[in-house]
Amino acid sequence: MKARFSLSPAAAAAALALSVALSVAIAAGTVATVMATRVSNVQIDDWQMQGSATHAAWPVWRLRLAAAFGNAAAREALADVLVSSAQLDERRAGVELYRQLALDGVPNAQATLGHLLLRGVPGITPDYAESRRWLSVAAAHDPQAAYDLATLYRNGYGVARDSLLSIRWLEQAAQAGVPLAQFQLANEYRFGATLPHDDALALQWLKRAANAELPEANLALAIAYRNGELGMARDEDAYWAYVKESEHDLKHISRP
Protein backbone atom coordinates (compact mmCIF):
# COMPACT_ATOMS: atom_id res chain seq x y z
CA MET A 1 0.00 0.00 0.00
CA LYS A 2 1.52 3.37 -1.14
CA ALA A 3 1.76 6.18 1.35
CA ARG A 4 0.20 9.41 0.27
CA PHE A 5 1.66 12.74 1.25
CA SER A 6 -0.23 15.96 0.95
CA LEU A 7 0.68 19.53 1.82
CA SER A 8 -1.39 21.53 4.15
CA PRO A 9 -3.20 24.46 2.54
CA ALA A 10 -0.71 26.88 4.12
CA ALA A 11 2.28 24.87 2.89
CA ALA A 12 0.76 24.56 -0.58
CA ALA A 13 0.19 28.32 -0.72
CA ALA A 14 3.79 28.95 0.38
CA ALA A 15 5.14 26.58 -2.26
CA LEU A 16 3.05 28.26 -4.93
CA ALA A 17 4.25 31.68 -3.82
CA LEU A 18 7.87 30.51 -3.94
CA SER A 19 7.36 29.07 -7.41
CA VAL A 20 5.82 32.31 -8.63
CA ALA A 21 8.63 34.34 -7.06
CA LEU A 22 11.26 32.18 -8.74
CA SER A 23 9.50 32.48 -12.07
CA VAL A 24 9.31 36.25 -11.73
CA ALA A 25 12.98 36.45 -10.74
CA ILE A 26 14.05 34.32 -13.71
CA ALA A 27 11.89 36.37 -16.06
CA ALA A 28 13.22 39.62 -14.62
CA GLY A 29 16.77 38.39 -14.96
CA THR A 30 16.16 37.40 -18.56
CA VAL A 31 14.63 40.78 -19.36
CA ALA A 32 17.50 42.59 -17.63
CA THR A 33 20.06 40.58 -19.57
CA VAL A 34 18.37 41.30 -22.89
CA MET A 35 17.99 44.99 -22.08
CA ALA A 36 21.60 45.30 -20.94
CA THR A 37 23.10 43.53 -23.92
CA ARG A 38 20.87 45.20 -26.51
CA VAL A 39 21.27 48.79 -25.33
CA SER A 40 22.37 50.97 -28.25
CA ASN A 41 25.92 52.18 -28.70
CA VAL A 42 24.54 55.71 -28.88
CA GLN A 43 23.13 55.30 -25.36
CA ILE A 44 26.41 53.84 -24.12
CA ASP A 45 28.33 56.76 -25.64
CA ASP A 46 25.96 59.14 -23.86
CA TRP A 47 26.48 57.41 -20.49
CA GLN A 48 30.22 57.41 -21.09
CA MET A 49 30.23 61.14 -21.85
CA GLN A 50 28.15 61.93 -18.77
CA GLY A 51 30.20 59.63 -16.57
CA SER A 52 33.53 61.07 -17.72
CA ALA A 53 32.36 64.67 -17.44
CA THR A 54 30.52 64.52 -14.12
CA HIS A 55 31.01 61.02 -12.65
CA ALA A 56 27.35 61.18 -11.69
CA ALA A 57 26.14 57.96 -10.11
CA TRP A 58 23.32 57.26 -12.57
CA PRO A 59 25.23 56.93 -15.90
CA VAL A 60 28.07 55.04 -14.20
CA TRP A 61 25.56 52.64 -12.63
CA ARG A 62 23.93 52.05 -16.02
CA LEU A 63 27.32 51.26 -17.53
CA ARG A 64 28.11 48.90 -14.66
CA LEU A 65 24.80 47.09 -15.15
CA ALA A 66 25.23 46.72 -18.91
CA ALA A 67 28.84 45.60 -18.45
CA ALA A 68 27.84 43.07 -15.78
CA PHE A 69 25.42 41.46 -18.24
CA GLY A 70 28.12 41.13 -20.88
CA ASN A 71 27.73 44.20 -23.08
CA ALA A 72 31.21 44.55 -24.62
CA ALA A 73 30.87 48.22 -25.54
CA ALA A 74 29.70 49.05 -22.03
CA ARG A 75 32.76 47.32 -20.55
CA GLU A 76 35.10 49.52 -22.60
CA ALA A 77 33.09 52.64 -21.81
CA LEU A 78 33.10 51.83 -18.10
CA ALA A 79 36.86 51.28 -18.11
CA ASP A 80 37.33 54.68 -19.74
CA VAL A 81 35.11 56.40 -17.17
CA LEU A 82 36.81 54.71 -14.23
CA VAL A 83 40.39 55.58 -15.22
CA SER A 84 39.41 59.27 -15.31
CA SER A 85 37.84 59.15 -11.86
CA ALA A 86 39.03 61.31 -8.98
CA GLN A 87 38.98 58.20 -6.78
CA LEU A 88 42.16 56.11 -6.76
CA ASP A 89 40.29 52.84 -6.19
CA GLU A 90 38.14 53.53 -9.25
CA ARG A 91 41.20 54.37 -11.36
CA ARG A 92 42.75 51.08 -10.31
CA ALA A 93 39.52 49.28 -11.17
CA GLY A 94 39.54 50.96 -14.56
CA VAL A 95 43.07 49.83 -15.33
CA GLU A 96 42.20 46.31 -14.21
CA LEU A 97 39.10 46.30 -16.41
CA TYR A 98 41.24 47.40 -19.36
CA ARG A 99 43.60 44.54 -18.52
CA GLN A 100 40.73 42.02 -18.59
CA LEU A 101 39.56 43.44 -21.93
CA ALA A 102 43.07 43.25 -23.34
CA LEU A 103 43.38 39.62 -22.25
CA ASP A 104 40.03 38.98 -23.94
CA GLY A 105 41.60 40.21 -27.18
CA VAL A 106 39.83 43.58 -27.50
CA PRO A 107 42.14 45.59 -29.81
CA ASN A 108 41.29 49.09 -28.54
CA ALA A 109 41.74 47.95 -24.95
CA GLN A 110 45.18 46.52 -25.72
CA ALA A 111 46.32 49.83 -27.20
CA THR A 112 44.76 51.89 -24.41
CA LEU A 113 46.23 49.72 -21.66
CA GLY A 114 49.67 49.97 -23.24
CA HIS A 115 49.32 53.75 -23.38
CA LEU A 116 48.12 54.03 -19.78
CA LEU A 117 50.93 51.85 -18.47
CA LEU A 118 53.49 53.87 -20.44
CA ARG A 119 52.28 57.30 -19.32
CA GLY A 120 51.02 56.29 -15.90
CA VAL A 121 47.74 57.17 -14.20
CA PRO A 122 47.59 59.49 -11.15
CA GLY A 123 48.41 57.30 -8.17
CA ILE A 124 49.42 54.36 -10.39
CA THR A 125 53.04 54.13 -11.50
CA PRO A 126 53.95 53.21 -15.09
CA ASP A 127 54.77 49.60 -15.90
CA TYR A 128 57.05 49.74 -18.92
CA ALA A 129 57.43 45.99 -19.34
CA GLU A 130 53.68 45.34 -19.50
CA SER A 131 53.19 48.47 -21.55
CA ARG A 132 55.67 47.25 -24.16
CA ARG A 133 53.90 43.87 -24.24
CA TRP A 134 50.51 45.35 -25.08
CA LEU A 135 51.81 48.07 -27.39
CA SER A 136 53.68 45.45 -29.40
CA VAL A 137 50.43 43.53 -29.83
CA ALA A 138 48.41 46.62 -30.74
CA ALA A 139 50.90 48.44 -32.96
CA ALA A 140 50.05 46.35 -36.02
CA HIS A 141 46.55 47.87 -36.12
CA ASP A 142 46.74 50.99 -33.95
CA PRO A 143 48.88 53.98 -35.08
CA GLN A 144 48.92 55.53 -31.61
CA ALA A 145 50.36 52.30 -30.20
CA ALA A 146 53.10 52.46 -32.84
CA TYR A 147 53.86 56.04 -31.80
CA ASP A 148 53.98 55.00 -28.13
CA LEU A 149 56.43 52.24 -28.98
CA ALA A 150 58.61 54.77 -30.77
CA THR A 151 58.56 56.92 -27.62
CA LEU A 152 59.40 53.92 -25.44
CA TYR A 153 62.43 52.89 -27.51
CA ARG A 154 63.62 56.45 -28.11
CA ASN A 155 63.73 57.22 -24.37
CA GLY A 156 64.71 53.77 -23.13
CA TYR A 157 61.68 53.29 -20.89
CA GLY A 158 62.24 49.91 -19.25
CA VAL A 159 64.44 48.80 -22.14
CA ALA A 160 67.73 49.78 -23.74
CA ARG A 161 67.44 52.75 -26.08
CA ASP A 162 67.14 51.66 -29.68
CA SER A 163 67.14 54.45 -32.27
CA LEU A 164 66.50 52.13 -35.21
CA LEU A 165 63.45 50.53 -33.59
CA SER A 166 62.21 53.94 -32.54
CA ILE A 167 62.44 55.24 -36.12
CA ARG A 168 60.74 52.12 -37.45
CA TRP A 169 57.69 52.64 -35.24
CA LEU A 170 57.78 56.41 -35.75
CA GLU A 171 57.64 55.98 -39.53
CA GLN A 172 54.75 53.54 -39.21
CA ALA A 173 52.79 55.95 -37.03
CA ALA A 174 53.57 58.89 -39.32
CA GLN A 175 52.48 57.00 -42.42
CA ALA A 176 49.24 56.10 -40.61
CA GLY A 177 48.52 59.77 -39.92
CA VAL A 178 49.61 60.49 -36.34
CA PRO A 179 50.47 64.24 -36.42
CA LEU A 180 53.02 64.12 -33.57
CA ALA A 181 54.79 61.24 -35.31
CA GLN A 182 54.86 63.22 -38.56
CA PHE A 183 56.32 66.22 -36.74
CA GLN A 184 58.98 64.15 -34.99
CA LEU A 185 59.88 62.36 -38.21
CA ALA A 186 60.31 65.75 -39.88
CA ASN A 187 62.72 66.72 -37.11
CA GLU A 188 64.62 63.46 -37.56
CA TYR A 189 65.21 64.33 -41.21
CA ARG A 190 66.08 67.86 -40.25
CA PHE A 191 68.16 67.47 -37.09
CA GLY A 192 68.33 63.80 -36.10
CA ALA A 193 71.38 61.59 -36.00
CA THR A 194 69.60 58.38 -37.03
CA LEU A 195 68.24 59.40 -40.44
CA PRO A 196 70.22 61.17 -43.14
CA HIS A 197 69.64 64.91 -43.36
CA ASP A 198 66.97 65.67 -45.94
CA ASP A 199 65.28 69.09 -45.99
CA ALA A 200 62.80 68.03 -48.67
CA LEU A 201 61.48 65.12 -46.60
CA ALA A 202 61.53 67.25 -43.46
CA LEU A 203 59.38 69.84 -45.23
CA GLN A 204 57.03 67.15 -46.57
CA TRP A 205 56.38 65.71 -43.11
CA LEU A 206 56.09 69.15 -41.51
CA LYS A 207 53.40 70.11 -44.00
CA ARG A 208 51.49 66.90 -43.38
CA ALA A 209 51.56 67.54 -39.63
CA ALA A 210 50.56 71.17 -40.19
CA ASN A 211 47.62 70.10 -42.35
CA ALA A 212 46.51 67.97 -39.39
CA GLU A 213 46.46 71.19 -37.32
CA LEU A 214 49.44 70.41 -35.12
CA PRO A 215 50.50 73.80 -33.71
CA GLU A 216 54.18 72.84 -33.38
CA ALA A 217 54.31 72.00 -37.08
CA ASN A 218 52.70 75.28 -38.17
CA LEU A 219 55.03 77.23 -35.89
CA ALA A 220 58.07 75.37 -37.27
CA LEU A 221 56.96 76.22 -40.82
CA ALA A 222 56.49 79.85 -39.81
CA ILE A 223 60.05 80.02 -38.49
CA ALA A 224 61.37 78.24 -41.59
CA TYR A 225 59.72 80.86 -43.83
CA ARG A 226 60.99 83.70 -41.65
CA ASN A 227 64.60 82.43 -41.74
CA GLY A 228 64.59 80.97 -45.25
CA GLU A 229 65.21 77.38 -44.10
CA LEU A 230 64.34 73.95 -45.51
CA GLY A 231 65.25 75.12 -49.01
CA MET A 232 62.65 77.90 -48.99
CA ALA A 233 63.12 81.61 -49.63
CA ARG A 234 62.28 84.03 -46.85
CA ASP A 235 58.61 84.96 -46.98
CA GLU A 236 57.18 87.35 -44.39
CA ASP A 237 53.58 86.81 -45.52
CA ALA A 238 53.92 83.03 -45.24
CA TYR A 239 55.54 83.48 -41.84
CA TRP A 240 52.54 85.37 -40.45
CA ALA A 241 50.08 83.03 -42.13
CA TYR A 242 51.60 80.02 -40.36
CA VAL A 243 51.83 81.91 -37.06
CA LYS A 244 48.08 82.54 -37.28
CA GLU A 245 47.50 78.87 -38.11
CA SER A 246 49.46 77.77 -35.04
CA GLU A 247 47.41 80.13 -32.85
CA HIS A 248 44.22 78.70 -34.36
CA ASP A 249 45.42 75.14 -33.74
CA LEU A 250 46.15 75.85 -30.08
CA LYS A 251 42.47 76.63 -29.52
CA HIS A 252 41.49 73.17 -30.68
CA ILE A 253 44.38 71.12 -29.37
CA SER A 254 43.64 67.64 -28.03
CA ARG A 255 46.43 65.36 -26.84
CA PRO A 256 46.29 61.72 -25.78
Side-chain angles (χ1 to χ4, degrees), residues 4-245:
R4 293 183 178 179
F5 298 92
S6 60
L7 296 175
S8 67
L16 179 60
L18 178 59
S19 177
V20 171
L22 288 173
S23 298
V24 170
I26 292 171
T30 302
V31 171
T33 302
V34 171
M35 291 179 64
T37 54
R38 291 188 179 179
V39 65
S40 71
N41 287 339
V42 172
Q43 184 65 77
I44 289 173
D45 289 343
D46 185 53
W47 294 337
Q48 180 179 357
M49 181 179 66
Q50 293 180 51
S52 297
T54 67
H55 282 277
W58 177 247
V60 177
W61 181 84
R62 295 299 298 269
L63 285 175
R64 288 184 185 277
L65 179 64
F69 281 104
N71 187 298
R75 292 178 72 202
E76 287 192 66
L78 178 60
D80 180 74
V81 170
L82 290 176
V83 295
S84 65
S85 171
Q87 304 297 321
L88 178 58
D89 59 338
E90 289 193 346
R91 294 197 296 272
R92 286 173 173 162
V95 171
E96 182 55 36
L97 182 51
Y98 267 125
R99 184 174 285 113
Q100 294 171 15
L101 289 162
L103 289 169
D104 288 343
V106 179
N108 289 340
Q110 293 169 342
T112 301
L113 180 60
H115 181 79
L116 291 173
L117 295 174
L118 174 65
R119 306 292 180 178
V121 179
I124 303 172
T125 57
D127 185 329
Y128 298 133
E130 188 179 2
S131 172
R132 187 169 73 254
R133 170 192 170 190
W134 291 116
L135 291 175
S136 297
V137 172
H141 57 77
D142 190 290
Q144 181 61 46
Y147 175 73
D148 285 341
L149 271 179
T151 300
L152 189 149
Y153 282 110
R154 182 178 68 249
N155 295 296
Y157 291 146
V159 68
R161 290 185 178 181
D162 191 322
S163 298
L164 292 178
L165 265 179
S166 176
I167 292 295
R168 169 193 164 189
W169 292 115
L170 191 65
E171 287 179 332
Q172 180 170 317
Q175 291 287 358
V178 178
L180 276 172
Q182 294 169 341
F183 177 68
Q184 289 182 12
L185 188 57
N187 286 335
E188 286 292 336
Y189 280 115
R190 190 176 183 183
F191 307 117
T194 305
L195 292 174
H197 178 83
D198 191 320
D199 279 346
L201 283 174
L203 182 60
Q204 172 188 318
W205 285 111
L206 266 183
K207 287 186 174 180
R208 289 183 65 173
N211 288 337
E213 299 187 341
L214 187 73
E216 295 97 320
N218 275 303
L219 186 58
L221 283 170
I223 294 171
Y225 274 109
R226 184 190 64 187
N227 298 334
E229 299 169 341
L230 297 175
M232 299 183 298
R234 292 184 179 182
D235 188 326
E236 194 72 10
D237 290 338
Y239 163 70
W240 284 113
Y242 278 106
V243 167
K244 290 178 181 177
E245 282 298 319

